[in-house]
Amino acid sequence: AKQAAATAPVASAKQAAATAPVASATPDVAAEPPPGFFDTVNVGGFISASYFYNFNNPDGGSLGGSNAPVDLLHPDSNSFSLDQVWLTMSRDASAEQRAGFKAEFVYGKTASILSGNNLDGNAGNDFDLYQGYVTYLAPLGEGVTVQAGKFATLIGAEVASSRDNWNITRGNLYNYFQPINHTGVLAS
């Protein structure tokens, strides 16, 4: 009876040792670090070019700007035009990263018109910051997004970006009356 009693604690000690966690000689691997700033930045762009022919036979020596009263973003007749080289950089705001931004740069004939330095497309600045704003996702309710800076208009059927526009050319409502972008603060 003494021998049976002596082996019982040994057996339960062996069983406990088998089920006990084993201490590791190597430290736990650290959790993966959060993504860096440049890992969360989106970059994109496109190029748009065109050729416009004027069936009204404007004087060959004065073709520059002959479309300007009708189509402001394509002012030159009977010629190829580098309309837009568009570059977009953005970082979305989210619950994990509350600050964001968007910058859209345009180069070409469209930028020459949008920069406001000319009205006929023949001279001026061929570079324009179409949008440039910072964003903050405020932790109010389900989240309030606040944008501050220069941003594209929220109204109208036509836009400056040829990739996002429904038409190849723009209508006179867009050319003369619709705001193209705004500077200020927007909350949604």
Side-chain angles (χ1 to χ4, degrees), residues 9-30:
V10 172
S12 64
K14 284 183 182 177
Q15 184 180 18
T19 59
V22 178
S24 173
T26 61
D28 292 334
V29 176

Side-chain angles (χ1 to χ4, degrees), residues 40-140:
T40 60
V41 173
N42 304 310
V43 177
F46 66 90
I47 296 174
S48 174
S50 62
Y51 181 89
F52 273 78
Y53 182 79
N54 191 332
F55 288 98
N56 292 327
N57 297 319
D59 181 9
S62 63
L63 291 176
S66 59
N67 285 346
V70 178
D71 188 0
L72 292 178
L73 296 181
H74 299 100
D76 298 331
S77 296
N78 306 347
S79 65
F80 284 100
S81 174
L82 177 62
D83 298 326
Q84 300 176 359
V85 176
W86 208 278
L87 174 66
T88 303
M89 296 173 21
S90 65
R91 179 179 186 213
D92 299 329
S94 66
E96 293 80 30
Q97 53 187 22
R98 295 209 173 265
F101 70 91
K102 186 168 193 174
E104 284 189 286
F105 304 96
V106 62
Y107 173 82
K109 194 63 78 167
T110 300
S112 179
I113 304 299
L114 292 177
S115 67
N117 291 337
N118 66 7
L119 296 176
D120 63 1
N122 290 322
N125 188 4
D126 288 345
F127 179 81
D128 187 51
L129 174 64
Y130 180 66
Q131 291 192 91
Y133 59 84
V134 293
T135 304
Y136 178 70
L137 179 61
L140 301 170

